[in-house]
Amino acid sequence: MLRSYCKQDALVVALDGELDHFCAQSIRRQLDEMLADPSVRYLVLDFDKLTFMDSSGIGVVLGRYRLLRDRGGHIAIVGMNPHIARLFHMSGLDRIIRQLDKHQEAQA
């Protein structure tokens, strides 16, 4: 469900399928293991193949935002479908988390 690679101090993680209450704990744990390296200051979540997300997914994203904010880094999202973009807007996450296009992600 997760594919990742590092590029300098950035971690890019692609999620496939769904990010809901059934898998949120597992995804949270996997992301936290990847972010245990203190040199990672930037996280790009690639949602291009993510088909569904609920409020549990919002919690996963918000928790990683706080973790990175506390170490002086930031988080960005790329590839949101309209449903997920609407959820981000309704939750207010679009005001604190950058949304990138594919070209910007390649430069991260």
Side-chain angles (χ1 to χ4, degrees):
M1 182 164 197
L2 296 181
R3 293 179 322 278
S4 66
Y5 66 90
C6 286
K7 186 176 178 182
Q8 297 172 354
D9 59 353
L11 173 65
V12 179
V13 179
L15 290 92
D16 292 347
E18 298 182 354
L19 180 51
D20 58 16
H21 70 279
F22 291 111
C23 64
Q25 186 66 18
S26 173
I27 299 296
R28 180 181 295 116
R29 193 174 315 118
Q30 291 176 62
L31 285 172
D32 286 348
E33 287 174 11
M34 293 178 205
L35 294 171
D37 179 354
S39 68
V40 175
R41 297 191 40 155
Y42 306 105
L43 174 63
V44 177
L45 294 174
D46 184 344
F47 284 179
D48 192 48
K49 295 190 188 296
L50 191 68
T51 57
F52 177 79
M53 185 167 78
D54 65 10
S55 60
S56 298
I58 293 291
V60 170
V61 173
L62 188 57
R64 290 349 84 198
Y65 162 79
R66 289 178 180 149
L67 175 80
L68 287 165
R69 180 197 61 198
D70 291 347
R71 68 168 73 156
H74 68 264
I75 184 173
I77 306 291
V78 64
M80 280 195 271
N81 68 35
H83 164 77
I84 295 171
R86 185 167 189 260
L87 186 61
F88 260 65
H89 178 71
M90 290 172 52
S91 68
L93 283 181
D94 62 335
R95 292 187 297 248
I96 60 172
I97 296 178
R98 284 181 48 195
Q99 297 174 43
L100 304 176
D101 62 29
K102 280 292 189 180
H103 176 72
Q104 290 171 310
E105 179 219 354
Q107 296 175 353

XYZ file of all heavy atoms in Angstrom:
861
model
N 0.816 -1.204 0.000
C 0.000 0.000 0.000
C 0.854 1.260 0.000
O 0.446 2.273 -0.505
C -0.939 -0.024 1.201
C -1.848 1.155 1.236
S -3.205 0.847 2.355
C -4.302 2.089 1.831
N 2.071 1.196 0.549
C 2.963 2.352 0.554
C 4.210 2.060 -0.274
O 4.794 0.994 -0.172
C 3.431 2.693 1.975
C 2.407 3.135 2.992
C 3.097 3.440 4.313
C 1.655 4.350 2.522
N 4.601 3.035 -1.073
C 5.881 3.011 -1.770
C 6.569 4.310 -1.415
O 5.935 5.365 -1.370
C 5.673 2.928 -3.282
C 5.061 1.627 -3.750
C 4.838 1.599 -5.262
N 4.399 2.845 -5.861
C 3.148 3.292 -5.895
N 2.187 2.605 -5.334
N 2.842 4.420 -6.490
N 7.874 4.248 -1.175
C 8.555 5.470 -0.757
C 9.963 5.541 -1.307
O 10.556 4.525 -1.678
C 8.602 5.555 0.770
O 9.420 4.530 1.289
N 10.465 6.766 -1.374
C 11.870 6.986 -1.676
C 12.276 8.303 -1.035
O 11.445 9.180 -0.779
C 12.147 6.987 -3.188
C 11.520 8.123 -3.958
C 12.203 9.320 -4.153
C 10.253 7.992 -4.512
C 11.638 10.355 -4.876
C 9.683 9.021 -5.239
C 10.383 10.199 -5.417
O 9.816 11.231 -6.134
N 13.568 8.400 -0.737
C 14.124 9.625 -0.148
C 14.917 10.371 -1.197
O 15.558 9.766 -2.056
C 15.038 9.300 1.033
S 14.160 8.796 2.501
N 14.856 11.677 -1.105
C 15.629 12.552 -1.975
C 16.150 13.676 -1.090
O 15.392 14.556 -0.695
C 14.730 13.088 -3.084
C 15.445 13.890 -4.122
C 14.482 14.288 -5.225
C 15.180 15.131 -6.246
N 14.254 15.565 -7.290
N 17.421 13.582 -0.708
C 18.055 14.487 0.242
C 17.290 14.438 1.564
O 17.208 13.388 2.172
C 18.168 15.884 -0.352
C 19.046 15.922 -1.585
C 19.016 17.250 -2.280
O 18.263 18.143 -1.940
N 19.844 17.388 -3.287
N 16.710 15.556 1.995
C 15.989 15.565 3.272
C 14.481 15.440 3.091
O 13.713 15.713 3.998
C 16.328 16.798 4.097
C 16.001 18.100 3.386
O 15.634 18.069 2.191
O 16.125 19.157 4.023
N 14.063 14.982 1.899
C 12.634 14.801 1.611
C 12.305 13.322 1.478
O 13.075 12.545 0.923
C 12.259 15.528 0.324
N 11.159 12.956 2.002
C 10.626 11.613 1.878
C 9.352 11.702 1.049
O 8.455 12.486 1.372
C 10.313 11.025 3.263
C 9.595 9.683 3.310
C 10.482 8.578 2.729
C 9.181 9.360 4.738
N 9.292 10.942 -0.039
C 8.103 10.898 -0.886
C 7.453 9.539 -0.674
O 8.102 8.509 -0.812
C 8.461 11.100 -2.372
C 7.206 11.030 -3.236
C 9.194 12.423 -2.573
N 6.176 9.561 -0.301
C 5.439 8.323 -0.023
C 4.180 8.307 -0.880
O 3.358 9.225 -0.804
C 5.061 8.207 1.472
C 4.273 6.931 1.720
C 6.298 8.258 2.351
N 4.044 7.250 -1.687
C 2.847 7.067 -2.510
C 1.934 6.066 -1.821
O 2.383 5.006 -1.379
C 3.237 6.560 -3.895
N 0.673 6.427 -1.700
C -0.330 5.560 -1.077
C -1.271 5.035 -2.154
O -1.683 5.786 -3.033
C -1.136 6.328 -0.035
C -0.386 6.716 1.226
C 0.211 8.093 1.088
C -1.310 6.689 2.397
N -1.606 3.756 -2.050
C -2.540 3.124 -2.983
C -3.786 2.676 -2.237
O -3.716 2.319 -1.061
C -1.919 1.873 -3.621
C -0.775 2.189 -4.549
O -0.589 3.353 -4.909
O -0.056 1.243 -4.911
N -4.898 2.677 -2.930
C -6.129 2.133 -2.350
C -6.867 3.123 -1.486
O -7.168 4.225 -1.925
N -7.148 2.722 -0.249
C -7.953 3.538 0.652
C -7.180 3.868 1.925
O -6.353 3.089 2.376
C -9.239 2.795 1.016
C -10.109 2.511 -0.193
C -11.412 1.822 0.147
O -11.627 1.445 1.317
O -12.226 1.667 -0.775
N -7.462 5.042 2.467
C -6.919 5.453 3.764
C -8.117 5.741 4.656
O -8.645 6.841 4.699
C -6.018 6.685 3.614
C -5.369 7.246 4.876
C -4.661 6.167 5.675
C -4.409 8.360 4.531
N -8.573 4.681 5.326
C -9.771 4.782 6.153
C -9.512 4.163 7.518
O -8.371 3.807 7.839
C -10.960 4.121 5.459
C -10.713 2.660 5.123
O -9.777 2.053 5.671
O -11.464 2.112 4.301
N -10.546 4.047 8.336
C -10.359 3.570 9.706
C -9.840 2.130 9.771
O -9.252 1.739 10.772
C -11.648 3.728 10.520
C -12.754 2.802 10.132
N -13.566 3.037 9.057
C -13.149 1.635 10.675
C -14.441 2.053 8.952
N -14.214 1.189 9.922
N -10.001 1.358 8.707
C -9.506 -0.017 8.703
C -7.983 -0.096 8.601
O -7.373 -1.008 9.134
C -10.136 -0.828 7.563
C -11.596 -1.087 7.768
C -12.532 -0.486 6.955
C -12.029 -1.931 8.780
C -13.886 -0.715 7.140
C -13.380 -2.169 8.975
C -14.308 -1.557 8.151
N -7.377 0.840 7.877
C -5.931 0.754 7.652
C -5.157 1.941 8.220
O -3.929 1.964 8.138
C -5.643 0.598 6.164
S -6.159 2.012 5.181
N -5.827 2.913 8.817
C -5.152 4.134 9.285
C -4.045 3.840 10.298
O -2.958 4.422 10.221
C -6.163 5.110 9.884
N -4.279 2.933 11.233
C -3.272 2.628 12.255
C -2.005 2.051 11.620
O -0.895 2.427 11.992
C -3.842 1.660 13.301
C -2.924 1.413 14.463
C -2.717 2.668 15.315
O -3.469 3.625 15.276
N -1.666 2.647 16.093
N -2.172 1.167 10.670
C -1.029 0.558 9.987
C -0.249 1.608 9.184
O 0.986 1.644 9.231
C -1.510 -0.561 9.071
O -0.467 -1.052 8.282
N -0.960 2.451 8.461
C -0.315 3.505 7.677
C 0.410 4.474 8.606
O 1.551 4.864 8.342
C -1.357 4.271 6.821
C -2.038 3.327 5.835
C -0.720 5.465 6.132
C -1.142 2.727 4.797
N -0.222 4.851 9.692
C 0.390 5.751 10.681
C 1.698 5.152 11.194
O 2.730 5.821 11.251
C -0.577 5.999 11.835
C -0.041 6.910 12.905
C -1.046 7.102 14.039
N -2.235 7.796 13.556
C -3.462 7.278 13.519
N -3.693 6.045 13.954
N -4.477 7.975 13.081
N 1.666 3.896 11.543
C 2.851 3.205 12.075
C 3.977 3.179 11.028
O 5.129 3.475 11.346
C 2.475 1.792 12.492
C 3.502 1.087 13.317
C 3.019 -0.269 13.847
N 1.665 -0.220 14.385
C 0.631 -0.923 13.904
N 0.785 -1.748 12.908
N -0.571 -0.812 14.438
N 3.636 2.846 9.794
C 4.639 2.790 8.728
C 5.242 4.169 8.461
O 6.464 4.303 8.288
C 4.023 2.235 7.452
C 3.654 0.762 7.552
C 2.953 0.299 6.296
O 3.529 0.335 5.216
N 1.700 -0.129 6.437
N 4.405 5.192 8.410
C 4.917 6.546 8.191
C 5.810 6.988 9.341
O 6.873 7.586 9.121
C 3.756 7.533 8.013
C 3.026 7.475 6.679
C 1.785 8.357 6.722
C 3.940 7.883 5.534
N 5.408 6.681 10.561
C 6.219 7.071 11.717
C 7.576 6.381 11.710
O 8.585 6.981 12.098
C 5.473 6.799 13.021
C 4.363 7.800 13.278
O 4.315 8.836 12.571
O 3.547 7.552 14.180
N 7.624 5.136 11.256
C 8.911 4.440 11.136
C 9.802 5.145 10.122
O 10.998 5.323 10.357
C 8.704 2.981 10.739
C 8.161 2.111 11.849
C 7.821 0.701 11.391
O 8.198 0.313 10.250
O 7.175 -0.021 12.175
N 9.227 5.556 8.994
C 9.996 6.260 7.974
C 10.460 7.628 8.472
O 11.552 8.080 8.144
C 9.151 6.436 6.713
C 8.828 5.164 5.995
S 7.772 5.544 4.575
C 6.942 3.997 4.356
N 9.609 8.280 9.260
C 9.928 9.624 9.754
C 10.762 9.603 11.030
O 11.088 10.659 11.565
C 8.632 10.413 9.980
C 7.849 10.730 8.714
C 6.488 11.312 9.061
C 8.632 11.670 7.811
N 11.116 8.420 11.514
C 11.962 8.324 12.712
C 13.350 8.905 12.446
O 14.029 9.337 13.378
C 12.065 6.881 13.175
N 13.758 8.934 11.200
C 15.035 9.527 10.822
C 14.909 11.049 10.953
O 14.158 11.678 10.211
C 15.366 9.149 9.384
C 16.666 9.748 8.877
O 17.285 10.564 9.592
O 17.058 9.397 7.755
N 15.637 11.677 11.900
C 15.479 13.115 12.127
C 15.973 13.989 10.974
O 15.669 15.178 10.930
C 16.292 13.375 13.397
C 17.256 12.248 13.487
C 16.601 11.078 12.819
N 16.707 13.382 10.028
C 17.161 14.182 8.890
C 16.042 14.439 7.886
O 16.148 15.318 7.035
C 18.340 13.497 8.193
O 17.927 12.301 7.564
N 14.945 13.674 7.977
C 13.798 13.901 7.089
C 13.036 15.116 7.598
O 12.510 15.119 8.700
C 12.870 12.662 7.038
C 11.626 12.970 6.213
C 13.605 11.457 6.488
N 13.015 16.147 6.777
C 12.324 17.376 7.163
C 11.114 17.677 6.291
O 10.306 18.529 6.627
C 13.293 18.547 7.107
C 14.430 18.346 8.109
C 15.227 19.553 8.260
N 14.354 20.706 8.263
C 14.649 21.849 8.831
N 15.760 21.981 9.449
N 13.822 22.868 8.773
N 11.019 16.995 5.168
C 9.926 17.250 4.228
C 9.281 15.928 3.834
O 9.969 14.966 3.525
C 10.436 17.974 2.982
C 11.189 19.226 3.340
C 12.573 19.271 3.265
C 10.514 20.344 3.805
C 13.270 20.405 3.629
C 11.202 21.486 4.182
C 12.575 21.508 4.087
O 13.261 22.625 4.463
N 7.974 15.909 3.853
C 7.212 14.735 3.463
C 6.262 15.129 2.342
O 5.513 16.102 2.464
C 6.402 14.197 4.662
C 5.434 13.055 4.382
C 6.169 11.800 3.909
C 4.598 12.755 5.629
N 6.347 14.391 1.240
C 5.403 14.565 0.137
C 4.573 13.293 0.074
O 5.109 12.197 -0.104
C 6.121 14.796 -1.210
C 5.100 14.903 -2.341
C 7.000 16.041 -1.152
N 3.277 13.429 0.277
C 2.354 12.303 0.166
C 1.739 12.324 -1.225
O 1.100 13.305 -1.609
C 1.264 12.384 1.233
C 1.737 12.223 2.671
C 0.585 12.479 3.641
C 2.326 10.844 2.893
N 1.967 11.268 -1.977
C 1.438 11.150 -3.331
C 0.129 10.368 -3.262
O 0.117 9.176 -2.983
C 2.448 10.435 -4.219
C 2.014 10.363 -5.669
O 0.815 10.589 -5.959
O 2.867 10.064 -6.515
N -0.969 11.067 -3.497
C -2.305 10.482 -3.426
C -2.842 10.103 -4.801
O -4.031 9.863 -4.959
C -3.267 11.472 -2.774
C -3.144 11.589 -1.284
C -3.960 12.480 -0.595
C -2.245 10.845 -0.554
C -3.875 12.613 0.779
C -2.148 10.972 0.823
C -2.979 11.857 1.490
N -1.979 10.049 -5.805
C -2.431 9.789 -7.166
C -3.225 8.484 -7.285
O -4.182 8.408 -8.037
C -1.223 9.762 -8.111
C -1.623 9.795 -9.557
O -2.466 10.638 -9.924
O -1.095 8.973 -10.337
N -2.847 7.462 -6.548
C -3.538 6.166 -6.615
C -4.406 5.913 -5.382
O -4.896 4.809 -5.188
C -2.530 5.045 -6.795
C -1.791 5.133 -8.125
C -0.986 3.900 -8.369
C -0.104 4.010 -9.569
N -0.715 4.159 -10.816
N -4.592 6.931 -4.549
C -5.471 6.805 -3.384
C -6.902 7.049 -3.858
O -7.210 8.085 -4.423
C -5.079 7.833 -2.313
C -5.716 7.652 -0.948
C -5.187 6.390 -0.272
C -5.424 8.853 -0.069
N -7.765 6.071 -3.637
C -9.125 6.158 -4.165
C -10.132 6.691 -3.157
O -11.186 7.197 -3.541
C -9.600 4.773 -4.642
O -9.516 3.846 -3.551
C -8.742 4.279 -5.794
N -9.823 6.577 -1.844
C -10.777 6.996 -0.824
C -10.034 7.355 0.447
O -9.034 6.731 0.799
C -11.766 5.862 -0.519
C -12.745 6.196 0.572
C -13.851 6.984 0.311
C -12.539 5.740 1.864
C -14.757 7.305 1.326
C -13.429 6.056 2.884
C -14.534 6.840 2.604
N -10.532 8.367 1.149
C -9.997 8.734 2.450
C -11.143 9.246 3.303
O -12.019 9.958 2.813
C -8.922 9.811 2.315
C -8.241 10.146 3.630
S -6.746 11.136 3.431
C -7.460 12.739 3.162
N -11.136 8.868 4.588
C -12.152 9.370 5.518
C -11.460 10.176 6.613
O -10.287 10.520 6.508
C -13.020 8.234 6.056
C -12.263 7.230 6.911
O -11.086 7.477 7.269
O -12.846 6.186 7.239
N -12.186 10.462 7.683
C -11.641 11.299 8.755
C -10.436 10.649 9.446
O -9.567 11.348 9.962
C -12.720 11.630 9.781
O -13.234 10.437 10.352
N -10.352 9.332 9.428
C -9.174 8.666 9.988
C -7.929 9.018 9.191
O -6.848 9.200 9.747
C -9.366 7.150 9.992
O -10.453 6.785 10.801
N -8.083 9.125 7.889
C -6.971 9.545 7.028
C -6.560 10.973 7.313
O -5.370 11.300 7.311
N -7.547 11.832 7.571
C -7.245 13.215 7.954
C -6.384 13.217 9.214
O -5.411 13.959 9.321
C -8.549 14.020 8.192
C -9.303 14.200 6.877
C -8.265 15.356 8.852
C -8.647 15.106 5.880
N -6.725 12.361 10.173
C -5.943 12.260 11.404
C -4.512 11.820 11.149
O -3.580 12.329 11.768
N -4.327 10.874 10.238
C -2.982 10.416 9.888
C -2.177 11.576 9.307
O -1.045 11.838 9.717
C -3.036 9.234 8.893
C -1.654 8.924 8.340
C -3.635 8.007 9.553
N -2.754 12.289 8.357
C -2.059 13.405 7.712
C -1.766 14.511 8.728
O -0.647 15.038 8.782
C -2.880 13.942 6.520
C -2.254 15.203 5.948
C -3.011 12.872 5.441
N -2.735 14.858 9.538
C -2.558 15.927 10.524
C -1.471 15.581 11.539
O -0.654 16.425 11.904
C -3.876 16.222 11.225
C -3.909 17.435 12.145
C -3.503 18.696 11.404
C -5.293 17.590 12.748
N -1.418 14.339 11.974
C -0.387 13.921 12.918
C 1.008 14.038 12.335
O 1.950 14.482 13.006
N 1.183 13.665 11.048
C 2.494 13.784 10.411
C 2.836 15.249 10.170
O 3.981 15.643 10.271
C 2.539 13.045 9.077
C 2.502 11.514 9.046
C 2.677 10.744 10.299
N 1.367 10.677 10.937
C 1.152 10.386 12.212
N 2.117 10.092 13.015
N -0.039 10.381 12.732
N 1.824 16.079 9.897
C 2.044 17.526 9.762
C 2.625 18.086 11.062
O 3.608 18.830 11.048
C 0.724 18.226 9.417
C 0.752 19.704 9.667
C 1.365 20.566 8.766
C 0.184 20.247 10.821
C 1.413 21.932 9.008
C 0.230 21.600 11.070
C 0.844 22.442 10.162
O 0.899 23.791 10.417
N 2.027 17.727 12.183
C 2.503 18.233 13.480
C 3.918 17.760 13.784
O 4.744 18.526 14.279
C 1.550 17.803 14.593
C 0.230 18.512 14.542
C -0.700 18.017 15.625
N -1.974 18.706 15.567
C -3.116 18.174 15.925
N -3.161 16.932 16.382
N -4.228 18.869 15.837
N 4.196 16.506 13.498
C 5.528 15.959 13.732
C 6.578 16.737 12.941
O 7.606 17.140 13.490
C 5.556 14.471 13.331
C 6.901 13.778 13.413
C 7.194 13.396 14.858
C 6.921 12.552 12.524
N 6.324 16.955 11.681
C 7.285 17.662 10.842
C 7.359 19.141 11.187
O 8.440 19.732 11.170
C 6.958 17.457 9.367
C 7.291 16.053 8.885
C 6.640 15.757 7.561
C 8.793 15.862 8.807
N 6.247 19.737 11.512
C 6.244 21.147 11.920
C 7.131 21.339 13.142
O 7.905 22.292 13.212
C 4.820 21.605 12.235
C 4.727 23.062 12.675
C 3.418 23.358 13.355
N 3.306 22.528 14.553
C 2.172 22.272 15.190
N 1.039 22.764 14.747
N 2.146 21.527 16.267
N 7.057 20.411 14.084
C 7.838 20.515 15.308
C 9.341 20.375 15.061
O 10.135 20.838 15.872
C 7.383 19.476 16.339
C 5.991 19.770 16.876
O 5.468 20.888 16.644
O 5.405 18.878 17.524
N 9.727 19.741 13.964
C 11.158 19.644 13.646
C 11.576 20.646 12.574
O 12.653 20.540 11.999
C 11.564 18.216 13.296
C 11.025 17.670 12.017
C 11.697 16.361 11.596
N 11.298 15.237 12.410
C 11.346 13.978 12.013
N 11.818 13.667 10.828
N 10.949 13.007 12.797
N 10.699 21.610 12.302
C 11.019 22.680 11.360
C 10.814 22.317 9.907
O 11.306 23.013 9.020
N 10.080 21.251 9.644
C 9.838 20.823 8.280
C 8.410 21.098 7.849
O 7.695 21.869 8.489
N 8.027 20.472 6.750
C 6.647 20.625 6.283
C 6.222 19.405 5.485
O 7.013 18.527 5.185
C 6.460 21.920 5.483
C 7.165 21.924 4.162
N 8.402 22.466 3.984
C 6.798 21.433 2.967
C 8.766 22.324 2.729
N 7.820 21.698 2.082
N 4.953 19.394 5.169
C 4.332 18.299 4.427
C 3.592 18.882 3.231
O 3.111 20.015 3.285
C 3.378 17.504 5.362
C 2.776 16.293 4.676
C 2.309 18.383 5.919
C 1.975 15.388 5.614
N 3.540 18.118 2.159
C 2.803 18.532 0.966
C 2.095 17.302 0.393
O 2.490 16.163 0.648
C 3.740 19.129 -0.072
N 1.053 17.571 -0.375
C 0.256 16.509 -1.002
C 0.282 16.723 -2.511
O 0.207 17.856 -2.987
C -1.217 16.563 -0.523
C -1.315 16.542 1.000
C -2.026 15.438 -1.159
C -0.936 15.271 1.668
N 0.346 15.634 -3.236
C 0.267 15.683 -4.690
C -0.731 14.629 -5.154
O -0.882 13.591 -4.516
C 1.663 15.456 -5.337
C 2.194 14.074 -5.039
C 1.642 15.722 -6.819
N -1.459 14.928 -6.219
C -2.325 13.948 -6.857
C -3.647 13.666 -6.176
O -4.109 12.529 -6.203
N -4.281 14.669 -5.597
C -5.575 14.434 -4.936
C -6.700 14.342 -5.965
O -6.788 15.167 -6.864
C -5.896 15.581 -3.972
C -5.186 15.481 -2.673
S -5.898 16.584 -1.447
C -4.948 18.051 -1.734
N -7.571 13.353 -5.781
C -8.764 13.291 -6.612
C -9.794 14.289 -6.046
O -9.606 14.824 -4.955
C -9.307 11.854 -6.701
C -9.875 11.326 -5.395
O -10.470 12.049 -4.593
N -9.700 10.038 -5.159
N -10.875 14.563 -6.761
C -11.844 15.565 -6.294
C -12.449 15.259 -4.924
O -12.674 16.171 -4.126
C -12.919 15.563 -7.382
C -12.195 15.121 -8.613
C -11.173 14.123 -8.141
N -12.716 13.991 -4.618
C -13.287 13.631 -3.312
C -12.321 13.993 -2.182
O -12.721 14.595 -1.183
C -13.603 12.132 -3.265
C -13.837 11.612 -1.874
N -15.007 11.825 -1.187
C -13.029 10.932 -1.031
C -14.904 11.286 0.030
N -13.712 10.737 0.137
N -11.069 13.633 -2.340
C -10.078 13.912 -1.299
C -9.805 15.407 -1.205
O -9.670 15.953 -0.107
C -8.802 13.090 -1.538
C -9.132 11.593 -1.397
C -7.693 13.489 -0.566
C -8.022 10.655 -1.815
N -9.763 16.097 -2.336
C -9.565 17.550 -2.323
C -10.711 18.234 -1.574
O -10.482 19.173 -0.802
C -9.461 18.080 -3.749
N -11.920 17.761 -1.773
C -13.082 18.329 -1.067
C -12.983 18.081 0.436
O -13.253 18.960 1.247
C -14.374 17.735 -1.612
C -15.614 18.365 -1.012
C -16.844 17.974 -1.818
N -17.975 18.745 -1.364
C -18.902 18.281 -0.536
N -18.844 17.051 -0.097
N -19.905 19.054 -0.169
N -12.555 16.879 0.826
C -12.359 16.547 2.234
C -11.288 17.446 2.854
O -11.455 17.938 3.977
C -11.975 15.069 2.359
C -11.855 14.476 3.751
C -13.181 14.555 4.493
C -11.393 13.027 3.657
N -10.201 17.683 2.135
C -9.154 18.578 2.619
C -9.695 19.989 2.815
O -9.388 20.646 3.804
C -7.972 18.595 1.649
C -6.840 17.731 2.079
C -6.987 16.357 2.147
C -5.621 18.282 2.416
C -5.960 15.549 2.545
C -4.572 17.482 2.815
C -4.739 16.111 2.884
N -10.491 20.442 1.860
C -11.058 21.790 1.961
C -12.031 21.890 3.138
O -11.969 22.834 3.929
C -11.752 22.166 0.654
C -12.389 23.510 0.699
N -11.655 24.679 0.714
C -13.686 23.877 0.764
C -12.476 25.710 0.787
N -13.719 25.245 0.809
N -12.920 20.917 3.281
C -13.913 20.943 4.355
C -13.265 20.860 5.739
O -13.752 21.456 6.692
C -14.920 19.797 4.180
C -15.846 20.001 2.997
S -16.883 18.570 2.637
C -17.621 18.231 4.205
N -12.143 20.143 5.834
C -11.466 19.994 7.128
C -10.527 21.155 7.435
O -10.058 21.288 8.562
C -10.666 18.685 7.148
O -9.576 18.758 6.250
N -10.252 21.971 6.447
C -9.325 23.090 6.635
C -7.862 22.735 6.428
O -6.992 23.593 6.558
N -7.575 21.475 6.095
C -6.186 21.074 5.879
C -5.559 21.788 4.685
O -4.346 21.971 4.645
C -6.075 19.561 5.677
C -6.168 18.705 6.929
C -6.015 17.234 6.571
C -5.122 19.093 7.954
N -6.381 22.205 3.737
C -5.844 22.896 2.570
C -5.223 24.242 2.932
O -4.457 24.809 2.161
C -6.914 23.066 1.488
C -8.097 23.901 1.942
O -8.368 23.975 3.161
O -8.784 24.460 1.065
N -5.519 24.750 4.134
C -4.924 26.027 4.572
C -3.562 25.844 5.217
O -2.806 26.810 5.334
C -5.871 26.729 5.545
C -7.151 27.207 4.868
C -7.985 28.037 5.808
N -8.417 27.243 6.957
C -9.660 26.886 7.215
N -10.618 27.248 6.400
N -9.956 26.177 8.274
N -3.230 24.611 5.642
C -1.945 24.412 6.318
C -1.017 23.445 5.585
O 0.171 23.396 5.894
C -2.136 23.926 7.774
C -2.880 22.591 7.835
C -2.835 24.986 8.607
C -2.934 21.967 9.213
N -1.538 22.707 4.623
C -0.723 21.733 3.889
C -0.728 22.097 2.411
O -1.790 22.232 1.802
C -1.252 20.303 4.112
C -1.102 19.928 5.589
C -0.511 19.311 3.215
C -1.625 18.571 5.952
N 0.473 22.250 1.872
C 0.623 22.611 0.456
C 0.151 21.491 -0.454
O 0.341 20.321 -0.163
C 2.088 22.883 0.132
C 2.589 24.197 0.619
C 4.034 24.430 0.246
N 4.275 24.142 -1.160
C 5.497 23.981 -1.662
N 6.554 24.051 -0.909
N 5.661 23.727 -2.945
N -0.441 21.890 -1.562
C -0.832 20.950 -2.604
C 0.061 21.213 -3.807
O 0.121 22.337 -4.297
C -2.297 21.130 -2.969
C -3.218 20.827 -1.805
C -4.654 21.148 -2.131
O -5.119 20.848 -3.214
N -5.347 21.744 -1.191
N 0.774 20.188 -4.234
C 1.716 20.308 -5.336
C 1.160 19.653 -6.587
O 0.354 18.733 -6.496
C 3.036 19.619 -4.993
C 3.759 20.045 -3.724
C 4.992 19.168 -3.516
C 4.145 21.510 -3.785
N 1.637 20.103 -7.738
C 1.351 19.347 -8.953
C 2.529 18.406 -9.193
O 3.533 18.459 -8.489
C 1.076 20.269 -10.146
C 2.252 21.164 -10.515
O 3.421 20.774 -10.274
O 2.015 22.243 -11.065
N 2.426 17.531 -10.150
C 3.461 16.501 -10.389
C 4.822 17.134 -10.679
O 5.844 16.621 -10.285
C 3.061 15.571 -11.535
C 2.083 14.515 -11.105
C 2.754 13.547 -10.163
C 1.874 12.362 -9.898
N 2.485 11.417 -8.988
N 4.854 18.251 -11.392
C 6.112 18.915 -11.712
C 6.800 19.405 -10.440
O 8.004 19.240 -10.262
C 5.878 20.085 -12.664
C 7.114 20.871 -12.962
N 8.123 20.384 -13.754
C 7.519 22.083 -12.537
C 9.090 21.274 -13.821
N 8.756 22.314 -13.093
N 6.049 19.984 -9.528
C 6.613 20.461 -8.270
C 7.116 19.296 -7.427
O 8.142 19.395 -6.782
C 5.577 21.251 -7.475
C 5.230 22.583 -8.097
C 4.043 23.220 -7.407
O 2.999 22.578 -7.223
N 4.200 24.459 -7.010
N 6.403 18.167 -7.450
C 6.821 17.004 -6.671
C 8.167 16.500 -7.165
O 9.043 16.138 -6.382
C 5.799 15.878 -6.779
C 6.218 14.635 -6.006
C 5.886 13.336 -6.699
O 5.225 13.346 -7.729
O 6.338 12.317 -6.183
N 8.387 16.517 -8.453
C 9.636 16.028 -9.023
C 10.823 16.870 -8.574
O 11.946 16.377 -8.502
C 9.560 16.030 -10.545
N 10.569 18.113 -8.188
C 11.633 18.993 -7.722
C 11.834 18.911 -6.224
O 12.767 19.465 -5.693
C 11.320 20.439 -8.119
C 11.287 20.638 -9.602
C 10.866 22.051 -9.980
O 10.470 22.839 -9.138
N 10.956 22.352 -11.244
N 10.935 18.227 -5.491
C 11.020 18.153 -4.035
C 12.262 17.431 -3.581
O 12.864 16.671 -4.253
C 9.781 17.447 -3.485
